[in-house]
Every structure is written in structure tokens, then in C-alpha cells.
Amino acid sequence: ENRGDVPLVLVAAGTSSSGDVELRTVAGACPGSALTGAAITASSAMLGTLAAGASMTACLEVRLVSGAPGTSATVTVDVSGSQAP
């Protein structure tokens, strides 16, 4: 929720303690199928602009890389906002 009085540009970035785990995110509800695009462990993802006083839903996918052995990992996701131009 943007409790401020200016729009925010939201960006998500993530880390994983295992190279066998990828994180992906999109604004809105999860689509029921695998998310496409680059993993946010490789580069951050733009979630869009959030108006003052508004809130949004985001979908986070934690995916084991194809062919990787079963693993456990600690993941961190940071969603940050900066004032929209």
C-alpha cells in the first residue's frame, strides 16, 4: 500500500542462497502457469506505478532450476519504490 501522497515506481529484486533457485514476480494475481521473463535474482523487475493511497497484488514464483537436484534455500525479495517522475 502506498500511504504517501505521490505515485511510486515499484521494483522487485531477489536473492537466493542457492544457484538452483530462481525467483520471478509480476504485478497482479498469479496466472496459474509458470511466469516468464528473467529471474529477479539476475536483474530487478519493474512492477509498475502505484498511485498515492492505492495498493496492489503481486505474484512471486520460486522455481527450482530444471535438472537441479532437490535443494533448500533461503530467499529474500525486496520491493522498493521511488517517486514517479
Side-chain angles (χ1 to χ4, degrees):
E1 180 178 3
N2 180 354
R3 294 183 182 205
D5 56 5
V6 297
L8 296 175
V9 175
L10 299 179
V11 175
T15 60
S16 171
S17 63
S18 168
D20 293 334
V21 175
E22 293 179 341
L23 306 170
R24 286 179 176 75
T25 189
V26 294
C30 292
S33 59
L35 299 180
T36 60
I40 62 172
T41 45
S43 61
S44 58
M46 178 74 72
L47 291 176
T49 301
L50 185 60
S55 60
M56 74 178 327
T57 299
C59 174
L60 173 65
E61 176 184 87
V62 180
R63 182 188 302 180
L64 187 61
V65 175
S66 179
T71 187
S72 64
T74 300
V75 298
T76 302
V77 176
D78 179 49
V79 177
S80 60
S82 58
Q83 186 173 341

